[in-house]
Amino acid sequence: MTCGSGSSSGYDDGVHQRLVAACTQASSGREAVCEAAYNCIKQRVSFADFKAADDAIRHGRPVDPKTARVLVQCVSESTHG
């Protein structure tokens, strides 16, 4: 594993852009909040867990409760921080 860009974690520029764009649209343009939430998620949720949650949401399945709790905490902290 290499240090540096962090792309080996799975969180690449494409993931970043899609998540922030979707969040910004859903939050009526609060891009700064979405950037903060993304950075929190990136630090606290493994990419495998994030991808599983994303896939579950896309297919209308429940998200793993542990992952969902962290996602909610990241968004909450971002909106209140």
Side-chain angles (χ1 to χ4, degrees):
M1 188 152 137
T2 60
C3 293
S5 70
S7 61
S8 62
S9 70
Y11 285 105
D12 60 19
D13 287 342
V15 172
H16 175 231
Q17 290 170 357
R18 285 190 301 275
L19 188 135
V20 172
C23 172
T24 301
Q25 184 177 12
S27 66
S28 303
R30 298 174 71 189
E31 187 173 350
V33 169
C34 294
E35 285 284 352
Y38 172 81
N39 288 327
C40 175
I41 291 165
K42 185 176 169 182
Q43 291 173 2
R44 295 173 55 186
V45 179
S46 73
F47 185 72
D49 287 346
F50 172 80
K51 183 157 177 26
D54 185 51
D55 289 345
I57 291 166
R58 288 175 195 260
H59 294 100
R61 295 189 309 264
V63 175
D64 177 82
K66 188 175 121 196
T67 302
R69 189 167 39 251
V70 175
L71 297 176
V72 168
Q73 286 172 351
C74 282
V75 171
S76 178
E77 288 170 12
S78 300
T79 57
H80 298 296

